[in-house]
């Protein structure tokens, strides 16, 4: 019989892209993981890893083994959720990775609600970039992720994960305070602030500008949308800003009539498949949905 813990280590190498990165994530030594995976290859009788420059990558057999393992892990996740449900109440520690704007605007109030309604449940919040958060979720280092997706972009979800839509948040285009434009040529001269180019938010924002007929001058890059707001308020840059941020800060900025104003980001709760009935996950989801409805009414 195959050792499930060793297969999990192989899966970690697949998730993190290298044996060294998997070792760092798990606080293992490189040699310990290498030894365990060598034993796994002996158990299976096939080669699971191969050299790729200075690194290693999974062979076709290794990738197939990891794919098959996802079904087993989802079944285990469901068994753990069902066992926890036998207590009849949400309890224990539950770790959530969340992005910045929802962390400030919604999560504190949601945590107050959870503490009142589920006193035996301890929810812990951690801040990670979306790509890192997905890996940590799959690796069981966090229990759920709160993130967003934009029209025409991927949510970043993957095999073995389950996604629930929490709500939607309008995003509108804002020009530097005190400035207006009337055509594409004028818009192309304005400085912009956007999130890092590899992010879904930046890819979406670039597409919005190009569909409007101009290439934006992205002079400032930051993943902090509060910084984006302050740049717009100071007349230093244009930006796409979510309504949640405007409501949170009480900003009096008005969106541009010339830039797109009919777009929405989707707020998502992502968890591992099999955990959908986990009482802690249910408590977190309900509290977030309640607080998001409250924000929508502001």
């Amino acid at each position: 019989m195959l050792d499930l813990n060793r297969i999990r280590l192989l899966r970690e190498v697949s998730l993190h892209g290298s044996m060294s990165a998997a070792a760092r994530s798990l606080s293992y030594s490189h040699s310990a993981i290498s030894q365990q995976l060598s034993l796994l290859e002996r158990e299976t009788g096939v080669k699971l890893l191969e050299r790729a420059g200075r690194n290693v990558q999974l062979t076709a057999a290794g990738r197939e083994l990891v794919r098959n393992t996802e079904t087993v892990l989802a079944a285990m996740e469901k068994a753990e959720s069902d066992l926890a449900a036998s207590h009849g109440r949400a309890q224990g520690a539950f770790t959530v990775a969340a992005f910045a704007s929802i962390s400030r605007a919604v999560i504190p109030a949601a945590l107050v609600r959870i503490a009142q309604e589920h006193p035996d449940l301890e929810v812990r919040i951690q801040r990670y970039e979306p790509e890192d958060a997905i890996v940590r979720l799959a690796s069981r280092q966090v229990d759920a992720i709160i993130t967003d997706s934009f029209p025409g972009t991927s949510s970043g979800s993957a095999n073995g994960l389950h996604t629930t839509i929490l709500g939607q948040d309008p995003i509108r285009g804002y020009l530097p305070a005190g400035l207006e434009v009337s055509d594409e040529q004028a818009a192309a001269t304005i400085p912009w602030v956007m999130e890092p180019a590899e992010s879904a938010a930046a890819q979406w924002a670039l597409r919005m500008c190009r569909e409007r007929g101009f290439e934006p001058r992205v002079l400032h890059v930051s993943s902090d949308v509060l910084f984006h707001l302050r740049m717009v308020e100071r007349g230093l840059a244009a930006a796409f800003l979510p309504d949640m941020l405007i409501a949170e800060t009480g900003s009096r900025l008005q969106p541009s009539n010339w830039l797109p104003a009919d777009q929405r980001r989707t707020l998502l709760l992502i968890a591992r498949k099999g955990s959908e009935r986990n009482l802690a996950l249910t408590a977190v989801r309900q509290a977030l949905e309640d607080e998001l409805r409250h924000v929508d009414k502001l």
Side-chain angles (χ1 to χ4, degrees), residues 24-41:
R24 286 193 300 271
S25 174
L26 297 170
S27 298
Y28 279 29
S29 69
H30 184 285
S31 60
I33 289 186
S34 179
Q35 182 182 39
Q36 290 299 309
L37 293 182
S38 294
L39 290 172
L40 181 61
E41 286 187 325

Side-chain angles (χ1 to χ4, degrees), residues 5 8 12-13 31 52 61 63 70-71 144-145 152 171 184 207 209 245 254 269 276 285 289 292 294:
N5 288 328
R8 278 180 166 168
E12 291 295 324
V13 174
S31 60
R63 292 192 296 272
E70 298 293 348
T71 302
I145 302 170
I171 302 182
E184 293 81 358
R207 192 177 75 250
C209 293
L245 177 67
Q254 293 298 314
L269 181 66
E276 295 92 330
R285 183 181 66 245
E289 289 173 342
L292 282 169
H294 176 70

